[in-house]
Amino acid sequence: MVDNTNMVDDASDDDLDLASLPDDELVEQMHDDLYDGLREEIIEGTNILLSRGWPASKVLDDALVEGMRIVGIDFRDGILFVPEVLMSANAMKGGMLILRPLLAETGAQPIGKMVIGTVKGDIHDIGKNLVGMMMEGAGFDVIDLGIDNPVENYLEAIEEHKPDILGMSALLTTTMPYMKVVIDTLIEKGMRDDYIVLVGGAPLNEEFSTAIGADAYCRDAAVAVETAQAKMAEKRAA
Ligand code: B1M
């Protein structure tokens, strides 16, 4: 006998009308959809929450970042694998694309310029992208170098764009030491004091940031914005 239980489940999933769900169930459904890498559903869910008056930052935190946290736990525990997590990341980016202009929509004059990139050997970019968006939202000009950046990329970019801040992201314990390579190169070239160097990424901490000679460790995107603002104020005062 053919077991068609899953077929029935799939069909009912297809029919699920996200707009008919109350907020809490919709958010839970979005966590599931993120887990399953369903980009279109994440885009739809994001739009529905916004249309219900949710601020972009709440959609980001409660629906997307929390969903990705759950994905991270099962990735760590060997329940999800790289191809699945890539699909989740792709779905998350679908939602972020909608939120980006809203988070950046402050009309503020640029209060500083930041070059940011994920370091060599590391292809994680969701957190870095979030930091970039939040910094834009706070009125910074952001030049995003993308992923897997050798020191030469950072040097070229700071030469070209003359930023106030150099931001580096790393998500792997194996790639975070590369931040020191970049900072040491700046020191060798006598350029270290020309820039505020901010670092971030899940495996980092304050102690590591101090040890490699960065100006500050930023636990998350909100802290990155606060720290950048504070450091810019110090720089202006000096
Ligand atoms: Co990867 N991965 N991954 N991964 N991945 C982690 C980081 C891991 C912790 C998963 C785990 O085991 N639990 C683990 C690292 C373990 C370790 O080093 N200790 C890991 C591993 C092992 C790997 C591979 C080696 C797996 C493999 O191939 N066997 C491989 C490495 C590839 C490489 O980079 N060379 C790999 C691959 C991948 C994917 C490609 C599948 C995908 C990345 C897709 C993409 O980014 N486009 C992926 C993902 C998605 C993750 C997890 C699940 C989620 C990361 C994320 O986006 N978090 C992650 C587990 C986890 O962190 N829970 C994991 C959401 C994001 C909003 O948070 O990035 O922390 P986060 O950013 C925050 C802050 O950290 C901070 O602000 C952000 C926003 O609040 N911040 C900054 C970040 N950068 C900043 C820069 C700043 C300031 C603040 O500058 C000023």
Side-chain angles (χ1 to χ4, degrees), residues 10 18 75 90 124 150:
D10 286 351
L18 293 179
F75 187 31
N90 183 42
H124 295 86

Side-chain angles (χ1 to χ4, degrees), residues 11-49:
S12 58
D13 273 359
D14 284 349
D15 288 346
L16 186 62
D17 177 13
L18 293 179
S20 70
L21 298 176
D23 288 6
D24 54 344
E25 284 179 31
L26 175 57
V27 167
E28 248 177 64
Q29 183 60 41
M30 286 175 73
H31 295 165
D32 287 351
D33 289 344
L34 203 57
Y35 195 94
D36 294 335
L38 301 177
R39 184 180 166 105
E40 288 312 312
E41 283 75 359
I42 289 299
I43 291 173
E44 190 186 344
T46 300
N47 280 325
I48 294 171
L49 288 174

Side-chain angles (χ1 to χ4, degrees), residues 220-238:
D220 58 31
V223 171
V225 169
E226 282 164 19
T227 311
Q229 286 167 334
K231 295 282 174 197
M232 285 301 295
E234 277 172 28
K235 185 177 168 178
R236 296 228 157 91

Side-chain angles (χ1 to χ4, degrees), residues 27 73 100 114 136 188 203 206 208 226:
V27 167
I73 292 169
R100 180 182 200 114
M114 177 176 78
E136 279 176 359
E188 271 166 33
E206 207 82 57
F208 173 78
E226 282 164 19

Side-chain angles (χ1 to χ4, degrees), residues 65 68-69 71-73 75-77 81-83 85-86 89 92-93 114 116 121-128 130-131 166-175 198-203 218-222 224:
V65 173
M68 208 60 197
R69 191 186 65 79
V71 169
I73 292 169
F75 187 31
R76 179 196 65 205
D77 295 344
F81 296 96
V82 171
V85 178
L86 266 177
M92 169 125 183
K93 285 181 180 179
M114 177 176 78
I116 188 168
D122 201 320
I123 63 169
H124 295 86
D125 67 354
I126 295 175
K128 166 190 67 63
L130 258 180
V131 172
L166 174 62
M168 288 188 277
S169 178
L171 264 285
L172 299 172
T173 44
T174 48
T175 56
L198 302 183
V199 294
C218 308
R219 190 183 64 240
D220 58 31

Side-chain angles (χ1 to χ4, degrees), residues 4 34 50 58 92 127 162 192:
N4 62 1
L34 203 57
L50 289 173
K58 186 169 164 62
M92 169 125 183
K162 314 253 178 303
R192 171 65 187 89

Side-chain angles (χ1 to χ4, degrees), residues 92-105:
M92 169 125 183
K93 285 181 180 179
M96 281 165 61
L97 219 60
I98 297 167
L99 299 178
R100 180 182 200 114
L102 303 173
L103 292 167
E105 187 176 82

